[in-house]
Structures are given as structure tokens and as C-alpha cells.
Amino acid sequence: MVGSAIVRQLEHQGYSNLVVRTHDELDLVDGNAVARFFEQELPEYVFLAAARVGGIHANNIYPAEFIYTNLQIQNNVIHQAYLYGVKKLLYLGSSCMYPKHCSQPMRVESILTGALEETNEPYAVAKIAGLKMCQSYNQQYNTQFIVAIPANLYGVNDNFHPEDSHVIPALIQRFHEALHNEKSSVTLWGTGASLREFLYVNDLADAGIFLMKNYQENTPVNVGSGVTLSIKELAEMIQNVVGYQGKLVFDTSKPDGMPLKSLDSTEMQTLNWNPKTSLKDGLRATYQWYRVQASHSLVY
């Protein structure tokens, strides 16, 4: 999702000398394959968007995969970027890196000041390691490896798998299926009270390119929308976008995750960058894309 959005935005801005690989073409977990790629292509700028990601359910079921895969990907790419003299690298962190009971909105100074949220701790530990790796290489080798921490992302090319997806694609898929099958209700995990901030992936892509051009600091920078809402409010918004009129049921025996995740994006505002896409418009665009894919049986 993120990589394709960055490519679209780069092309939109007139960049044409782009080197991209799909997962089938290059497995970033394979250190030897990554080394060969850097040796052959000698990229000057690297957007490190690849990661093993998922929602609460996936994090609970696959903790070993989440920590191993993400550590391998970032270790391989960041180290080879250093060895082959990459001019600048952008590493994408995650709001999961913040402590569970972090003061809100979350400031980058709070990272590593408290315990992480239990349901995504392995993933968060891996992402924090990537942050520290970038900072350490900058300190020792004078590299320019910058770190952006986005709010919860969604958009075109998201993962809509019913078990492994994040909350927005999971809700879109579930409401669409319920509408199609005329189900009377949809059951959601948790109480619906948790508060989240979401960022449309096209806005993150724009922010990433902006940071490549304008940011040199060793301190990570938050990239958020500035809009926070409850999971219940989000579900009702998506329900309206999809056109499903059934009942919402919340399974309170399931975990909510962090009670509140809101980013302090003051630094981006100071740099004169702000997101362009409202949550409602982003959800509409995402569902429109999903419907096309579902009609061709690519997702459902």
C-alpha cells in the first residue's frame, strides 16, 4: 500500500528514474538478495516502506513473524544503504512504537519511556530497533537516514484479509460482505471506545517525499492528520460509506488495544506540510477502489 502510493506520488511529481521491486522479485528478508540488489542498482535515495503489518488479531497470532520479518527487512536494507553510499534513506516507523500509557498527543520524546501495548509489542520492538539503527548509523557513519512515524494508515492497495488486516480495511471488508449477504448485524472487537488517528496513504506518500527534500534531523518526526475519533465513530462512518444498515455489535471480551493514539505533528506543521485528504473523502476513495477489486474477485 505505502510503496505503491510513494511510486504514484513520485511519478506525479515528474520523477522517472525509479527502481522498484515486488516481493516476488526481491525478498527483503534475504540478506544476500538485498546485497545483490544494492550492488546492481546503486540507488541514491531509498524509501523503506516494506514491513510485515497487521491488526490486533494478526499481532496476537503471529508475534514471531512480526518481530523476525521486520528486523530482517530493516537490518538488511539500512545496512546495505550504508555500504553502498545511499545519499538519503527514509525509514517509516509506527505509532505502535509509543508507550501504552503515553501522554497525548504523543511526542517523539516519549519513545522508550514506558511499557508498550502488549498486543503489538513484538512489532513495536522491531520498529523501535529500526529507529535506533538509523540514528546509530547517522551518529557513527554520518549517514542521512531519517525516520517518519505515521498515524494509522489506510487507502488504495491496503490489505483486506479478514484476519490480518488493520481496522479500516477490516471494517470495509466486513460491512461490504454483510451488505452483499444481507446480514442483520456485524460484530466488532472490543468496546469501540478506543481513540485513533488515521492518515490517507496518499498524504503519507506526499509527506515522505517532502521530508526527503526538506528534513535532515536525527530526531524522528510524526506525520498525522490531527483528527482523532473512536473506533465506534469510525465504524459508523464506514457503515455509512458502504451503505450497510444493519446493527453494530461490540464483543467486549476482545481487546481494544491502546486506549488512545494521537500524534503531535507540530514539527510537520512548522515545516509547512499538512495533509490534504479528509477522513470521509479517503474512506470513500478506498471503498470505491475496494468495490472494483471485489467485483473482479481480487479481494472480498
Side-chain angles (χ1 to χ4, degrees):
M1 176 179 67
V2 176
S4 61
I6 291 173
V7 170
R8 290 195 306 270
Q9 186 63 23
L10 285 168
E11 291 175 339
H12 177 71
Q13 295 189 20
Y15 293 94
S16 58
N17 188 21
L18 307 179
V19 180
V20 297
R21 294 290 188 277
T22 65
H23 179 267
D24 290 337
E25 294 169 334
L26 176 61
D27 181 2
L28 297 178
V29 174
D30 184 340
N32 291 328
V34 175
R36 287 194 299 271
F37 168 79
F38 273 84
E39 182 181 19
Q40 293 167 3
E41 299 294 346
L42 296 175
E44 294 181 284
Y45 297 88
V46 173
F47 292 87
L48 180 47
R52 172 73 162 93
V53 299
I56 292 176
H57 179 74
N59 275 273
N60 279 333
I61 300 298
Y62 309 114
E65 291 182 31
F66 273 81
I67 192 166
Y68 173 79
T69 301
N70 286 296
L71 284 172
Q72 289 292 99
I73 288 172
Q74 61 206 33
N75 287 350
N76 291 336
V77 174
I78 293 170
H79 187 63
Q80 294 301 324
Y82 154 66
L83 290 178
Y84 284 93
V86 165
K87 293 179 180 179
K88 201 167 188 178
L89 177 145
L90 172 65
Y91 169 77
L92 291 180
S94 166
S95 58
C96 297
M97 297 159 64
Y98 285 99
K100 178 177 182 178
H101 298 293
C102 188
S103 59
Q104 300 290 332
M106 298 184 289
R107 299 172 57 86
V108 295
E109 294 85 357
S110 296
I111 295 173
L112 290 176
T113 61
L116 299 165
E117 209 287 316
E118 296 86 357
T119 58
N120 55 34
E121 185 181 67
Y123 173 71
V125 167
K127 299 305 286 185
I128 291 171
L131 160 63
K132 289 303 176 182
M133 189 172 184
C134 288
Q135 291 179 326
S136 299
Y137 275 56
N138 291 341
Q139 178 182 341
Q140 185 170 344
Y141 301 129
N142 200 32
T143 51
Q144 277 204 16
F145 296 165
I146 61 174
V147 179
I149 303 176
N152 293 300
L153 298 170
Y154 71 100
V156 170
N157 286 324
D158 207 338
N159 171 23
F160 288 86
H161 190 281
E163 293 184 353
D164 293 348
S165 58
H166 282 118
V167 62
I168 286 181
L171 289 174
I172 287 176
Q173 190 272 342
R174 202 168 296 177
F175 284 131
H176 179 82
E177 183 184 53
L179 177 67
H180 180 80
N181 294 321
E182 299 182 348
K183 293 183 178 179
S184 61
S185 66
V186 171
T187 300
L188 308 179
W189 275 30
T191 64
S194 293
L195 298 170
R196 293 290 182 270
E197 178 182 9
F198 298 94
L199 183 70
Y200 190 52
V201 70
N202 288 13
D203 285 333
L204 174 64
D206 183 67
I209 297 169
F210 176 87
L211 289 168
M212 273 289 203
K213 297 176 179 178
N214 298 285
Y215 194 71
Q216 292 80 229
E217 304 302 320
N218 202 28
T219 304
V221 58
N222 287 330
V223 183
S225 65
V227 178
T228 303
L229 76 168
S230 71
I231 296 299
K232 182 177 184 293
E233 291 171 323
L234 174 69
E236 290 171 344
M237 187 178 292
I238 295 175
Q239 183 180 16
N240 181 261
V241 167
V242 173
Y244 174 69
Q245 297 181 350
K247 183 180 179 181
L248 290 182
V249 178
F250 290 90
D251 182 355
T252 57
S253 69
K254 303 297 184 181
D256 276 329
M258 285 182 67
L260 171 61
K261 284 169 65 175
S262 175
L263 298 179
D264 183 339
S265 300
T266 303
E267 181 64 23
M268 290 298 288
Q269 296 165 8
T270 301
L271 293 169
N272 293 318
W273 184 90
N274 288 285
K276 301 177 178 65
T277 311
S278 70
L279 180 58
K280 184 173 290 186
D281 287 344
L283 290 175
R284 286 172 177 161
T286 304
Y287 181 55
Q288 183 178 12
W289 177 87
Y290 174 84
R291 286 181 63 189
V292 173
Q293 310 311 308
S295 68
H296 292 90
S297 300
L298 297 179
V299 295
Y300 198 67

